[in-house]
Amino acid sequence: MYDILIKNGTVIDGTGNVGRKLDVGVEKDRIVEVAAKIPEAKGRVVIDAKDKFVTPGFIDIQNHSDSYFTLFDQPQQSSLLAQGITSIVVGNCGSSLAPLASLESIKTIQKWHDLAGVNINWVTFGEFVQCLSQKNLGVNVLSLVGHATVRRGLLKDSVRPAQMEEMRVMKKLVDKSLDEGAVGLSMGLIYAHEVNSSEEELKLLVSSLKPRRKFLSIHLRSEASHILEAVDEAIDLATASDVALKISHLKVRGQKNWHLFDHVLNKLEIAYHQGLKISFDVYPYDSSWSVLYTYLPKWAYEAGRAEILRHSSAAADRRKILDYLKSSGQNYGQIVIATAENNPGFVGKTLAQIASNQGVSVEEAMLNTITACRAQVVVFDHNLSDEQVELLVFSPLSIIASDGAGYEKESQNLVHPRCFGAMPKFLRMVREKKTVSWEMAIKKLTMEPAGLLNLKDRGKIAKNTMADIVVFDPVTVTDLVDYEHPYKFPLGIETVLINGKIAFADNKPAGLFGKMIGI
Ligand SMILES: [Zn+2]
Protein backbone atom coordinates (compact mmCIF):
# COMPACT_ATOMS: atom_id res chain seq x y z
CA MET A 1 0.00 0.00 0.00
CA TYR A 2 1.14 3.52 -0.77
CA ASP A 3 0.26 6.47 1.45
CA ILE A 4 -0.58 8.56 -1.60
CA LEU A 5 -1.15 7.53 -5.21
CA ILE A 6 -1.32 10.15 -7.96
CA LYS A 7 -3.12 8.65 -10.97
CA ASN A 8 -3.84 9.47 -14.62
CA GLY A 9 -1.69 12.60 -14.84
CA THR A 10 1.04 13.56 -17.31
CA VAL A 11 4.34 13.37 -15.46
CA ILE A 12 6.85 16.04 -16.50
CA ASP A 13 9.76 14.81 -14.45
CA GLY A 14 11.93 17.95 -14.29
CA THR A 15 14.85 16.60 -16.34
CA GLY A 16 13.59 17.97 -19.64
CA ASN A 17 12.38 14.52 -20.76
CA VAL A 18 9.10 14.39 -22.65
CA GLY A 19 6.02 14.22 -20.41
CA ARG A 20 4.36 10.81 -20.13
CA LYS A 21 1.16 9.41 -18.69
CA LEU A 22 2.39 7.79 -15.48
CA ASP A 23 1.14 7.08 -11.98
CA VAL A 24 3.21 8.05 -8.95
CA GLY A 25 3.24 6.15 -5.64
CA VAL A 26 4.39 7.89 -2.44
CA GLU A 27 5.29 6.20 0.81
CA LYS A 28 6.36 8.19 3.86
CA ASP A 29 8.43 11.08 2.49
CA ARG A 30 9.60 9.50 -0.79
CA ILE A 31 8.42 8.57 -4.27
CA VAL A 32 8.56 4.78 -4.35
CA GLU A 33 7.08 3.91 -7.74
CA VAL A 34 6.60 5.68 -11.06
CA ALA A 35 4.81 3.38 -13.53
CA ALA A 36 2.32 3.28 -16.38
CA LYS A 37 -0.53 1.78 -14.36
CA ILE A 38 -0.56 1.40 -10.61
CA PRO A 39 -3.84 -0.14 -9.41
CA GLU A 40 -6.06 2.29 -7.56
CA ALA A 41 -6.42 -0.18 -4.68
CA LYS A 42 -2.73 0.35 -3.87
CA GLY A 43 -3.29 3.89 -2.65
CA ARG A 44 -4.62 4.82 0.80
CA VAL A 45 -5.26 8.29 -0.62
CA VAL A 46 -5.74 8.58 -4.39
CA ILE A 47 -5.36 11.88 -6.25
CA ASP A 48 -6.92 11.89 -9.72
CA ALA A 49 -4.66 14.00 -11.93
CA LYS A 50 -6.52 13.43 -15.23
CA ASP A 51 -5.72 16.25 -17.71
CA LYS A 52 -3.22 17.66 -15.18
CA PHE A 53 0.54 17.90 -15.12
CA VAL A 54 2.42 16.19 -12.31
CA THR A 55 5.80 17.83 -11.72
CA PRO A 56 8.47 18.10 -9.04
CA GLY A 57 7.87 20.82 -6.44
CA PHE A 58 9.22 24.18 -7.58
CA ILE A 59 12.51 25.34 -6.05
CA ASP A 60 12.67 29.10 -5.53
CA ILE A 61 16.41 29.70 -5.64
CA GLN A 62 16.18 33.46 -5.07
CA ASN A 63 13.97 34.17 -2.07
CA HIS A 64 13.91 36.80 0.69
CA SER A 65 11.62 35.27 3.34
CA ASP A 66 14.53 35.53 5.80
CA SER A 67 15.47 39.15 5.19
CA TYR A 68 11.82 40.24 5.16
CA PHE A 69 11.59 38.07 8.28
CA THR A 70 8.30 36.43 7.22
CA LEU A 71 9.93 33.03 7.66
CA PHE A 72 9.55 33.68 11.39
CA ASP A 73 6.39 35.71 11.74
CA GLN A 74 4.46 33.97 8.93
CA PRO A 75 6.05 30.48 8.84
CA GLN A 76 3.23 28.92 6.82
CA GLN A 77 4.56 30.86 3.79
CA SER A 78 1.19 30.33 2.05
CA SER A 79 1.84 32.70 -0.83
CA LEU A 80 4.76 30.52 -1.94
CA LEU A 81 3.15 27.16 -1.27
CA ALA A 82 0.05 28.23 -3.27
CA GLN A 83 2.35 28.77 -6.29
CA GLY A 84 3.71 25.22 -6.09
CA ILE A 85 6.95 26.26 -4.39
CA THR A 86 8.14 23.49 -2.06
CA SER A 87 11.70 24.68 -1.33
CA ILE A 88 13.22 28.14 -1.03
CA VAL A 89 16.79 29.36 -0.94
CA VAL A 90 17.35 32.34 1.35
CA GLY A 91 20.44 34.28 2.43
CA ASN A 92 20.47 36.15 -0.88
CA CYS A 93 21.98 39.45 -1.99
CA GLY A 94 24.75 39.35 0.64
CA SER A 95 22.47 39.12 3.66
CA SER A 96 21.95 35.90 5.60
CA LEU A 97 20.73 35.45 9.16
CA ALA A 98 24.00 33.71 10.15
CA PRO A 99 26.80 33.67 11.16
CA LEU A 100 26.52 36.57 13.59
CA ALA A 101 30.04 37.60 14.55
CA SER A 102 28.69 40.64 16.39
CA LEU A 103 25.45 42.49 17.06
CA GLU A 104 25.96 44.51 13.88
CA SER A 105 25.78 41.45 11.58
CA ILE A 106 21.99 41.26 11.62
CA LYS A 107 21.69 44.92 10.64
CA THR A 108 22.26 43.88 7.01
CA ILE A 109 18.55 43.06 6.80
CA GLN A 110 17.29 46.35 8.18
CA LYS A 111 17.03 47.86 4.71
CA TRP A 112 14.13 45.45 4.19
CA HIS A 113 12.76 44.88 7.67
CA ASP A 114 12.62 46.84 10.89
CA LEU A 115 14.71 45.10 13.54
CA ALA A 116 12.37 45.93 16.42
CA GLY A 117 10.87 42.68 17.68
CA VAL A 118 13.42 40.49 15.94
CA ASN A 119 14.49 37.74 18.32
CA ILE A 120 17.65 35.81 17.49
CA ASN A 121 19.04 32.94 19.49
CA TRP A 122 21.89 31.64 17.40
CA VAL A 123 25.41 32.77 16.56
CA THR A 124 27.00 30.32 14.13
CA PHE A 125 25.54 29.06 10.87
CA GLY A 126 25.31 25.58 12.39
CA GLU A 127 23.23 26.91 15.27
CA PHE A 128 20.99 28.76 12.81
CA VAL A 129 20.38 25.52 10.88
CA GLN A 130 19.79 23.68 14.15
CA CYS A 131 17.36 26.33 15.38
CA LEU A 132 15.34 26.38 12.14
CA SER A 133 15.33 22.57 12.05
CA GLN A 134 13.24 22.63 15.20
CA LYS A 135 10.65 24.93 13.63
CA ASN A 136 7.64 23.90 11.60
CA LEU A 137 7.86 25.65 8.25
CA GLY A 138 5.48 25.80 5.29
CA VAL A 139 8.23 25.09 2.76
CA ASN A 140 11.68 23.50 2.81
CA VAL A 141 14.39 26.08 3.46
CA LEU A 142 18.03 26.23 2.40
CA SER A 143 20.33 29.18 3.00
CA LEU A 144 23.37 30.78 1.48
CA VAL A 145 25.91 32.54 3.69
CA GLY A 146 25.88 36.29 3.00
CA HIS A 147 29.00 38.33 2.40
CA ALA A 148 27.55 41.50 3.98
CA THR A 149 26.54 39.57 7.09
CA VAL A 150 30.06 38.24 7.57
CA ARG A 151 31.71 41.55 6.69
CA ARG A 152 29.51 43.72 8.87
CA GLY A 153 30.00 41.35 11.78
CA LEU A 154 33.67 42.29 11.73
CA LEU A 155 33.77 45.85 10.40
CA LYS A 156 30.65 46.79 12.37
CA ASP A 157 29.05 50.00 11.07
CA SER A 158 32.20 51.35 9.44
CA VAL A 159 32.32 51.20 5.66
CA ARG A 160 35.84 50.89 4.36
CA PRO A 161 38.06 48.37 2.62
CA ALA A 162 38.86 45.41 4.90
CA GLN A 163 42.40 44.81 6.13
CA MET A 164 44.24 41.58 5.40
CA GLU A 165 43.66 40.17 8.89
CA GLU A 166 39.94 40.96 8.66
CA MET A 167 39.76 39.24 5.29
CA ARG A 168 41.34 36.13 6.82
CA VAL A 169 38.77 36.06 9.62
CA MET A 170 35.96 36.57 7.07
CA LYS A 171 37.25 33.64 5.05
CA LYS A 172 37.26 31.44 8.16
CA LEU A 173 33.66 32.42 8.90
CA VAL A 174 32.62 31.66 5.31
CA ASP A 175 34.47 28.30 5.35
CA LYS A 176 32.85 27.31 8.62
CA SER A 177 29.37 28.37 7.48
CA LEU A 178 29.73 26.39 4.25
CA ASP A 179 30.82 23.36 6.30
CA GLU A 180 27.86 23.82 8.63
CA GLY A 181 25.19 23.74 5.93
CA ALA A 182 25.26 26.91 3.82
CA VAL A 183 24.51 26.01 0.18
CA GLY A 184 26.77 28.71 -1.27
CA LEU A 185 27.98 32.29 -0.86
CA SER A 186 25.90 35.33 -1.76
CA MET A 187 27.04 38.86 -2.49
CA GLY A 188 25.07 42.10 -2.79
CA LEU A 189 27.79 44.29 -4.25
CA ILE A 190 25.51 47.31 -4.72
CA TYR A 191 24.79 47.69 -1.00
CA ALA A 192 26.44 50.07 1.42
CA HIS A 193 28.37 47.49 3.42
CA GLU A 194 29.79 45.63 0.44
CA VAL A 195 30.39 48.41 -2.02
CA ASN A 196 33.90 49.00 -0.64
CA SER A 197 35.09 45.39 -0.87
CA SER A 198 38.34 45.01 -2.79
CA GLU A 199 38.86 42.48 -5.55
CA GLU A 200 41.35 40.74 -3.27
CA GLU A 201 38.71 40.30 -0.57
CA LEU A 202 36.08 39.00 -2.97
CA LYS A 203 38.49 36.53 -4.59
CA LEU A 204 39.65 35.23 -1.23
CA LEU A 205 36.09 34.52 -0.10
CA VAL A 206 35.01 32.98 -3.41
CA SER A 207 37.97 30.58 -3.19
CA SER A 208 36.16 28.81 -0.31
CA LEU A 209 33.54 27.49 -2.70
CA LYS A 210 35.28 25.15 -5.13
CA PRO A 211 36.64 22.60 -2.62
CA ARG A 212 33.11 22.29 -1.24
CA ARG A 213 31.40 22.26 -4.65
CA LYS A 214 29.15 25.16 -3.73
CA PHE A 215 28.06 28.09 -5.87
CA LEU A 216 28.37 31.86 -5.98
CA SER A 217 25.24 34.02 -6.10
CA ILE A 218 25.73 37.68 -6.98
CA HIS A 219 23.47 40.72 -6.88
CA LEU A 220 25.41 42.80 -9.39
CA ARG A 221 27.19 46.02 -8.40
CA SER A 222 25.04 47.81 -11.00
CA GLU A 223 21.84 46.90 -12.81
CA ALA A 224 21.77 50.24 -14.64
CA SER A 225 24.35 52.30 -16.54
CA HIS A 226 27.35 50.31 -15.20
CA ILE A 227 25.86 46.87 -15.72
CA LEU A 228 28.45 45.75 -18.28
CA GLU A 229 31.35 46.31 -15.86
CA ALA A 230 29.29 44.65 -13.13
CA VAL A 231 28.73 41.54 -15.27
CA ASP A 232 32.44 41.42 -16.13
CA GLU A 233 33.29 41.59 -12.43
CA ALA A 234 30.96 38.67 -11.61
CA ILE A 235 32.27 36.55 -14.48
CA ASP A 236 35.92 37.30 -13.56
CA LEU A 237 35.32 36.35 -9.94
CA ALA A 238 33.70 33.02 -10.83
CA THR A 239 36.24 32.24 -13.54
CA ALA A 240 39.24 32.96 -11.31
CA SER A 241 38.02 30.43 -8.73
CA ASP A 242 36.37 28.05 -11.20
CA VAL A 243 32.99 28.02 -9.46
CA ALA A 244 29.40 27.99 -10.69
CA LEU A 245 27.93 31.49 -10.87
CA LYS A 246 24.28 32.49 -10.60
CA ILE A 247 23.46 36.16 -11.11
CA SER A 248 20.49 37.24 -9.00
CA HIS A 249 17.34 38.77 -10.53
CA LEU A 250 19.05 39.77 -13.79
CA LYS A 251 17.61 42.89 -15.41
CA VAL A 252 18.59 46.19 -16.97
CA ARG A 253 17.02 49.01 -14.99
CA GLY A 254 15.95 52.27 -16.61
CA GLN A 255 14.85 52.90 -20.18
CA LYS A 256 18.01 54.85 -21.02
CA ASN A 257 20.05 51.71 -20.22
CA TRP A 258 17.95 49.20 -22.12
CA HIS A 259 20.30 49.39 -25.10
CA LEU A 260 22.88 47.56 -22.96
CA PHE A 261 20.69 44.46 -22.74
CA ASP A 262 22.06 42.67 -25.84
CA HIS A 263 25.62 43.24 -24.63
CA VAL A 264 24.75 41.76 -21.24
CA LEU A 265 23.28 38.61 -22.79
CA ASN A 266 26.25 38.36 -25.13
CA LYS A 267 28.71 38.44 -22.28
CA LEU A 268 26.85 35.69 -20.43
CA GLU A 269 26.62 33.51 -23.51
CA ILE A 270 30.31 33.92 -24.29
CA ALA A 271 31.23 33.00 -20.71
CA TYR A 272 28.96 29.95 -20.97
CA HIS A 273 30.57 28.82 -24.22
CA GLN A 274 34.01 29.30 -22.67
CA GLY A 275 33.03 26.70 -20.08
CA LEU A 276 31.87 28.76 -17.10
CA LYS A 277 28.88 27.27 -15.29
CA ILE A 278 26.81 30.42 -15.49
CA SER A 279 23.12 31.03 -14.99
CA PHE A 280 20.83 33.76 -13.76
CA ASP A 281 17.47 33.92 -12.12
CA VAL A 282 14.66 36.15 -13.28
CA TYR A 283 11.14 37.03 -12.12
CA PRO A 284 8.54 37.55 -14.85
CA TYR A 285 7.56 41.18 -14.09
CA ASP A 286 8.49 44.53 -15.57
CA SER A 287 9.02 46.25 -12.26
CA SER A 288 11.74 46.01 -9.66
CA TRP A 289 11.13 45.95 -5.89
CA SER A 290 14.08 47.76 -4.42
CA VAL A 291 15.46 49.78 -1.59
CA LEU A 292 14.93 53.46 -2.37
CA TYR A 293 18.33 54.66 -1.13
CA THR A 294 20.09 52.71 -3.90
CA TYR A 295 18.81 55.40 -6.32
CA LEU A 296 21.09 57.96 -4.67
CA PRO A 297 24.68 58.56 -5.82
CA LYS A 298 27.08 56.01 -4.36
CA TRP A 299 28.88 58.55 -2.16
CA ALA A 300 25.59 59.39 -0.47
CA TYR A 301 24.65 55.87 0.57
CA GLU A 302 27.91 53.94 0.81
CA ALA A 303 28.51 54.93 4.45
CA GLY A 304 25.29 53.40 5.75
CA ARG A 305 21.95 54.57 7.07
CA ALA A 306 23.00 57.31 9.49
CA GLU A 307 25.12 58.95 6.79
CA ILE A 308 22.35 58.61 4.18
CA LEU A 309 20.09 60.55 6.52
CA ARG A 310 22.76 63.15 7.18
CA HIS A 311 23.50 63.70 3.47
CA SER A 312 19.77 63.88 2.68
CA SER A 313 19.30 66.73 5.16
CA ALA A 314 22.55 68.76 5.08
CA ALA A 315 21.91 71.63 2.64
CA ALA A 316 25.06 71.37 0.49
CA ASP A 317 24.92 67.56 0.19
CA ARG A 318 21.22 67.67 -0.49
CA ARG A 319 21.81 70.06 -3.39
CA LYS A 320 24.50 67.77 -4.81
CA ILE A 321 22.20 64.74 -4.60
CA LEU A 322 19.36 66.65 -6.27
CA ASP A 323 21.67 67.71 -9.11
CA TYR A 324 22.74 64.10 -9.58
CA LEU A 325 19.16 62.84 -9.64
CA LYS A 326 17.97 65.58 -11.99
CA SER A 327 20.80 65.01 -14.45
CA SER A 328 20.35 61.21 -14.49
CA GLY A 329 17.69 61.39 -17.20
CA GLN A 330 15.48 58.95 -15.28
CA ASN A 331 11.80 59.34 -14.57
CA TYR A 332 11.42 58.89 -10.82
CA GLY A 333 7.82 60.10 -10.72
CA GLN A 334 6.42 56.64 -11.54
CA ILE A 335 8.14 54.98 -8.55
CA VAL A 336 5.50 53.57 -6.16
CA ILE A 337 6.11 53.36 -2.40
CA ALA A 338 5.53 49.77 -1.24
CA THR A 339 6.89 49.86 2.30
CA ALA A 340 7.47 53.02 4.33
CA GLU A 341 8.69 52.44 7.85
CA ASN A 342 6.37 54.21 10.30
CA ASN A 343 4.70 56.20 7.48
CA PRO A 344 1.81 54.10 6.13
CA GLY A 345 0.39 57.22 4.48
CA PHE A 346 3.06 57.00 1.76
CA VAL A 347 2.21 53.41 0.82
CA GLY A 348 0.68 53.03 -2.65
CA LYS A 349 1.56 56.60 -3.68
CA THR A 350 3.89 57.46 -6.52
CA LEU A 351 6.76 59.88 -5.95
CA ALA A 352 4.95 62.19 -8.40
CA GLN A 353 1.89 62.19 -6.10
CA ILE A 354 4.00 62.80 -2.99
CA ALA A 355 5.80 65.62 -4.81
CA SER A 356 2.54 67.24 -5.80
CA ASN A 357 1.13 66.90 -2.25
CA GLN A 358 4.26 68.49 -0.81
CA GLY A 359 4.59 71.10 -3.55
CA VAL A 360 8.18 70.03 -4.33
CA SER A 361 10.02 68.35 -7.21
CA VAL A 362 9.98 64.56 -7.61
CA GLU A 363 13.66 64.42 -6.62
CA GLU A 364 13.00 66.39 -3.43
CA ALA A 365 10.05 64.11 -2.69
CA MET A 366 12.43 61.15 -2.92
CA LEU A 367 14.76 62.67 -0.34
CA ASN A 368 11.88 63.73 1.91
CA THR A 369 10.52 60.18 1.87
CA ILE A 370 13.91 58.70 2.66
CA THR A 371 14.31 61.11 5.57
CA ALA A 372 10.79 60.61 6.95
CA CYS A 373 11.18 56.82 6.89
CA ARG A 374 14.74 56.78 8.23
CA ALA A 375 16.01 55.29 4.94
CA GLN A 376 13.77 52.21 5.29
CA VAL A 377 11.74 52.56 2.12
CA VAL A 378 11.07 49.83 -0.43
CA VAL A 379 9.59 50.74 -3.81
CA PHE A 380 8.14 49.33 -7.03
CA ASP A 381 9.59 50.81 -10.17
CA HIS A 382 8.23 49.96 -13.63
CA ASN A 383 11.67 50.43 -15.12
CA LEU A 384 12.15 47.18 -17.04
CA SER A 385 11.39 46.40 -20.65
CA ASP A 386 8.63 43.78 -21.06
CA GLU A 387 10.32 42.46 -24.15
CA GLN A 388 13.65 42.04 -22.33
CA VAL A 389 11.99 40.34 -19.37
CA GLU A 390 10.45 37.85 -21.78
CA LEU A 391 13.80 37.18 -23.44
CA LEU A 392 15.37 36.53 -20.03
CA VAL A 393 12.53 34.29 -18.90
CA PHE A 394 12.90 32.02 -21.93
CA SER A 395 16.71 32.17 -22.20
CA PRO A 396 18.47 28.78 -21.97
CA LEU A 397 20.54 30.23 -19.09
CA SER A 398 17.63 31.29 -16.90
CA ILE A 399 16.09 29.86 -13.76
CA ILE A 400 12.70 31.23 -12.73
CA ALA A 401 12.59 32.54 -9.16
CA SER A 402 10.33 34.85 -7.19
CA ASP A 403 12.95 37.10 -5.55
CA GLY A 404 10.03 37.57 -3.16
CA ALA A 405 9.02 36.42 0.28
CA GLY A 406 6.29 34.18 1.67
CA TYR A 407 3.19 35.79 3.20
CA GLU A 408 0.10 34.38 4.85
CA LYS A 409 -1.72 37.58 5.75
CA GLU A 410 -2.24 41.08 4.39
CA SER A 411 -0.51 44.05 5.96
CA GLN A 412 -0.62 47.80 5.51
CA ASN A 413 2.37 47.53 3.17
CA LEU A 414 2.17 46.42 -0.45
CA VAL A 415 4.17 43.38 -1.49
CA HIS A 416 5.40 42.77 -5.00
CA PRO A 417 2.90 40.60 -6.92
CA ARG A 418 5.72 38.12 -7.53
CA CYS A 419 5.32 36.98 -3.89
CA PHE A 420 1.98 35.44 -4.88
CA GLY A 421 2.27 35.09 -8.63
CA ALA A 422 5.77 34.50 -10.01
CA MET A 423 5.54 30.78 -10.84
CA PRO A 424 1.91 30.69 -12.11
CA LYS A 425 2.56 33.82 -14.19
CA PHE A 426 5.55 32.06 -15.75
CA LEU A 427 3.42 28.96 -16.45
CA ARG A 428 0.77 31.17 -18.08
CA MET A 429 3.48 32.75 -20.26
CA VAL A 430 4.68 29.28 -21.29
CA ARG A 431 1.13 28.39 -22.39
CA GLU A 432 0.46 31.68 -24.17
CA LYS A 433 3.81 32.41 -25.81
CA LYS A 434 4.76 28.84 -26.77
CA THR A 435 8.43 29.88 -26.84
CA VAL A 436 9.68 26.83 -24.92
CA SER A 437 8.20 23.40 -24.32
CA TRP A 438 6.48 22.59 -21.03
CA GLU A 439 9.31 20.17 -20.32
CA MET A 440 12.01 22.86 -20.62
CA ALA A 441 9.86 25.28 -18.63
CA ILE A 442 9.44 22.86 -15.73
CA LYS A 443 13.17 22.16 -15.74
CA LYS A 444 13.79 25.88 -15.05
CA LEU A 445 11.71 25.51 -11.87
CA THR A 446 13.10 22.19 -10.68
CA MET A 447 16.20 20.38 -11.98
CA GLU A 448 18.10 23.54 -12.90
CA PRO A 449 18.02 25.00 -9.40
CA ALA A 450 18.44 21.54 -7.80
CA GLY A 451 21.59 20.98 -9.89
CA LEU A 452 23.13 24.25 -8.77
CA LEU A 453 22.32 23.41 -5.15
CA ASN A 454 23.69 19.89 -5.46
CA LEU A 455 20.34 18.64 -4.20
CA LYS A 456 20.44 15.04 -5.36
CA ASP A 457 17.05 13.86 -4.14
CA ARG A 458 14.82 16.78 -5.07
CA GLY A 459 13.94 18.59 -8.30
CA LYS A 460 12.89 15.50 -10.24
CA ILE A 461 10.19 12.85 -10.21
CA ALA A 462 11.91 9.49 -9.97
CA LYS A 463 11.94 6.47 -7.71
CA ASN A 464 13.58 7.19 -4.33
CA THR A 465 13.54 10.98 -4.63
CA MET A 466 11.80 13.07 -1.98
CA ALA A 467 8.08 13.44 -2.63
CA ASP A 468 7.85 17.19 -3.30
CA ILE A 469 5.22 17.22 -6.04
CA VAL A 470 2.92 19.72 -7.77
CA VAL A 471 -0.27 18.82 -9.62
CA PHE A 472 -1.49 21.68 -11.80
CA ASP A 473 -3.87 22.36 -14.65
CA PRO A 474 -1.90 23.53 -17.70
CA VAL A 475 -5.05 24.97 -19.30
CA THR A 476 -6.12 27.24 -16.45
CA VAL A 477 -2.98 27.96 -14.43
CA THR A 478 -2.50 31.70 -13.94
CA ASP A 479 -1.63 34.42 -11.43
CA LEU A 480 -4.44 36.67 -10.18
CA VAL A 481 -2.52 39.59 -8.69
CA ASP A 482 -1.50 43.12 -9.62
CA TYR A 483 0.36 45.94 -7.86
CA GLU A 484 -2.71 47.29 -6.08
CA HIS A 485 -4.05 43.84 -5.11
CA PRO A 486 -1.04 41.64 -4.47
CA TYR A 487 -2.53 39.30 -1.83
CA LYS A 488 -4.34 36.62 -3.88
CA PHE A 489 -3.60 32.94 -4.50
CA PRO A 490 -3.23 31.86 -8.14
CA LEU A 491 -5.56 29.64 -10.13
CA GLY A 492 -4.85 26.11 -11.31
CA ILE A 493 -2.30 24.90 -8.74
CA GLU A 494 -4.39 22.01 -7.43
CA THR A 495 -2.30 19.93 -5.07
CA VAL A 496 1.16 20.39 -3.56
CA LEU A 497 2.99 17.62 -1.70
CA ILE A 498 5.94 18.42 0.55
CA ASN A 499 8.05 15.62 2.00
CA GLY A 500 5.32 13.11 1.12
CA LYS A 501 2.40 14.95 2.69
CA ILE A 502 -0.42 16.93 1.06
CA ALA A 503 0.57 20.46 2.10
CA PHE A 504 -1.80 22.42 -0.15
CA ALA A 505 -5.16 21.39 -1.64
CA ASP A 506 -8.59 22.97 -2.25
CA ASN A 507 -6.85 26.35 -2.39
CA LYS A 508 -5.62 26.26 1.20
CA PRO A 509 -2.60 25.04 3.15
CA ALA A 510 -3.05 21.91 5.24
CA GLY A 511 -0.74 23.29 7.93
CA LEU A 512 3.06 23.18 7.33
CA PHE A 513 5.24 20.17 6.31
CA GLY A 514 8.47 21.83 5.21
CA LYS A 515 11.80 21.73 7.03
CA MET A 516 15.22 23.31 7.13
CA ILE A 517 17.77 21.56 4.93
CA GLY A 518 21.48 22.07 5.56
CA ILE A 519 23.83 20.63 2.94
ZN1 LIG B 1 19.25 41.43 -4.72
Side-chain angles (χ1 to χ4, degrees), residues 62 64 92-93 112 187-188 190-191 219-220 223 248-249 251 403:
Q62 173 76 29
H64 276 288
N92 278 296
C93 302
W112 294 293
M187 294 178 169
I190 196 172
Y191 291 117
H219 176 147
L220 295 173
E223 293 180 332
S248 295
H249 45 63
K251 55 184 165 305
D403 194 33

Side-chain angles (χ1 to χ4, degrees), residues 245-308:
L245 167 68
K246 186 209 59 144
I247 296 175
S248 295
H249 45 63
L250 183 65
K251 55 184 165 305
V252 180
R253 278 160 67 150
Q255 192 163 4
K256 73 177 180 101
N257 303 312
W258 290 350
H259 68 281
L260 299 171
F261 179 82
D262 289 347
H263 302 290
V264 170
L265 269 196
N266 249 337
K267 281 182 185 291
L268 302 181
E269 277 160 19
I270 290 170
Y272 176 78
H273 287 296
Q274 286 176 342
L276 183 66
K277 280 192 197 124
I278 187 168
S279 57
F280 58 85
D281 64 79
V282 57
Y283 52 82
Y285 293 85
D286 71 355
S287 74
S288 57
W289 191 23
S290 14
V291 177
L292 187 57
Y293 78 59
T294 58
Y295 286 78
L296 304 181
K298 185 178 153 221
W299 62 263
Y301 74 76
E302 67 184 351
R305 220 152 60 94
E307 284 298 291
I308 294 170

Side-chain angles (χ1 to χ4, degrees), residues 4 8 25 96 149 219 396 404 424 434 482-483:
I4 298 171
N8 310 318
S96 57
T149 303
H219 176 147
K434 300 185 169 53
D482 56 34
Y483 293 89

